Amino acid sequence: MNLGQVAEILKCDVLVGENIDGVEVGGVCAADLMSDVLAFTKPGSVLLTGLSNVQSVITTHVAEVVAVIYVRGKKPDAEALKLAEQKGIPLLASRLSMYEACGRLWQEGLGVGSDLGGE
Amino acid sequence: MSDEVLFFQEFSITGGDFSSAGSVSTEIKSILKEIGFHPSVIRRAAIACYEAEMNVTMYAERGVVRLSATPAAIRIQFEDEGQGIADIELAMQEGYSTATPEMREIGFGAGMGLPNIKKNSDEFEITSEVGRGTKLDIVIKA
C-alpha cells in the first residue's frame, strides 16, 4: 500500500510531503513512546502517534520510518515541521483516534510494522 | 586497511536541553551515510546513538560524544558529567526507568534505552560512578 492510500483511509491532511503516492508503506507502528518505536519498529513502516514534538520526526529519521501520521487531531510543532521539510519526511494529520486509525488500516490489510507482531 | 580511520569527530551535548536533543545523532547519521556504510549498519548506529544522546540530555549536566569510523566498524563513545547510574544491572533491565514526567512527555523514559543500545551494538561497555558520570563505549561492525 502507498502513503496516498493510507492518507485516504485515515482522511489525512498532508502537512509535509509531495508525491506521497510514491511512498511505499510496509506496515504500521503505533506508539506515543519513542523509545518503543526505536526498540521495535521495522524500517519502511509508517508511525502513528500522538506525540507532536520534534522527537517524533527525529525518531522517524533515525529508525528509517517512512512517514508520521499524527492522530487525535494533533498537529506537529514548528520545529518538527521544519526538520521534516529538511529531511524530506512526510507528515500527515488525522482526526481519528489511535484505535480507529489502526483498525481501519488493519482492515485494509496493512500489517504490523514492528517486531512484536503475533501470528 | 580495515583499521584505517575514515573519520573522527567530537560532539558535545548539553544536559537538560530538550529542544536540541537528537541533533548529534541526526548529524552522525548524515556523516555515516556520506561515508557510505550499509543502510542497516547506519540504522543500528543511529538508533543506539540517539538513545544514548537522550540519556545524556535527560540525566547528565553535559556530555561529549566521540565518533570514529573505520571501514570495519563504527565506534561511538559517550562520556558525561552527571548523576551516574547506581545499579547498572538494574538499569539494563527492560522497563526499568527513573524517568520524570517531563521526560515521558517528550516520548522517552520507557526503560528501553540501555537494552536497546546493547541490542543494536556488537560491542557494549558501560561504566558509571554515582555523582560523577557515565562512560559508554559502543562498536557497530560494518
Side-chain angles (χ1 to χ4, degrees), chain A residues 65-108:
Chain A
V65 169
V66 295
V68 188
I69 300 176
Y70 298 98
V71 294
R72 304 191 288 272
K74 295 281 176 73
K75 292 281 162 67
D77 63 23
E79 221 179 322
L81 283 166
K82 193 175 142 195
L83 185 66
E85 274 162 13
Q86 273 173 15
K87 297 290 176 192
I89 297 169
L91 301 185
L92 286 70
S94 170
R95 297 198 62 78
L96 298 178
S97 69
M98 182 79 95
Y99 179 71
E100 187 172 354
C102 292
R104 286 190 183 196
L105 294 176
W106 178 265
Q107 201 168 27
E108 295 293 332

Side-chain angles (χ1 to χ4, degrees), chain A residues 1-11 20-21 24 105:
Chain A
M1 190 181 292
N2 70 51
L3 189 58
Q5 292 169 302
V6 171
E8 208 165 300
I9 293 164
L10 302 184
K11 302 180 190 309
I20 59 169
D21 289 345
E24 199 57 34
L105 294 176

